[in-house]
Amino acid sequence: MHFFVDGGGYDGLTSANFIKKSPSYKAIYYFEPFLDSMNLSIEKLKMYDNIRYFQFGLWNENETLNFKSNLGNANKISSEGDISINVVKLSDCSIEKVDFIKLDIEGAELNAIEGAKELI
């Protein structure tokens, strides 16, 4: 039984694919900082059990960061960002165990891994 972290879940597709490949998974920890995407994901994944949703981005500290959101697929954390997002250290999220981590978090992957070092 596997524990999966979906960092930057967006629309839930990666978690759904993980469930297909590992139907006896133990838990999915789903991170998505944007409310619209989170709501879409919750709706798409509602038929599955043991998914814990966190409306945060992943980072190496617990804080609020600026995010430049009008760049299409080049969106990123930036001091010139037009919106703010809350980010957390994965190690601080009361996660039982991690077997697999998927990160699609707009260039913040290294920071997120640093914030997960106590779980890895």
Side-chain angles (χ1 to χ4, degrees):
M1 306 227 319
H2 297 107
F3 294 83
F4 177 60
V5 171
D6 192 348
Y10 183 58
D11 63 358
L13 183 59
T14 301
S15 286
N17 286 332
F18 174 79
I19 292 167
K20 286 178 189 172
K21 295 197 181 286
S22 185
S24 61
Y25 69 97
K26 180 71 174 169
I28 294 175
Y29 305 106
Y30 192 92
F31 291 83
E32 175 55 51
F34 300 104
L35 182 60
D36 290 346
S37 294
M38 180 62 82
N39 288 337
L40 173 66
S41 300
I42 290 169
E43 180 62 29
K44 282 186 173 182
L45 298 170
K46 68 182 177 185
M47 72 282 289
Y48 303 113
D49 295 324
N50 301 323
I51 301 176
R52 289 189 50 205
Y53 295 96
F54 300 85
Q55 193 179 333
F56 298 105
L58 293 172
W59 193 246
N60 58 357
E61 297 291 333
N62 300 329
E63 60 185 307
T64 300
L65 299 173
N66 292 328
F67 189 84
K68 197 147 182 79
S69 68
N70 56 358
L71 301 175
N73 64 0
N75 291 343
K76 61 183 178 181
I77 292 173
S78 168
S79 61
E80 296 127 21
D82 55 315
I83 60 173
S84 296
I85 62 169
N86 293 315
V87 294
V88 295
K89 289 173 54 175
L90 189 58
S91 295
D92 288 349
C93 291
S94 300
I95 289 177
E96 183 176 342
K97 180 182 172 188
V98 174
D99 294 305
F100 300 101
I101 299 175
K102 169 267 189 177
L103 298 173
D104 184 2
I105 53 176
E106 315 306 342
E109 289 81 4
L110 181 58
N111 294 80
I113 290 169
E114 289 173 6
K117 64 183 171 187
E118 294 169 22
L119 286 172
I120 297 175

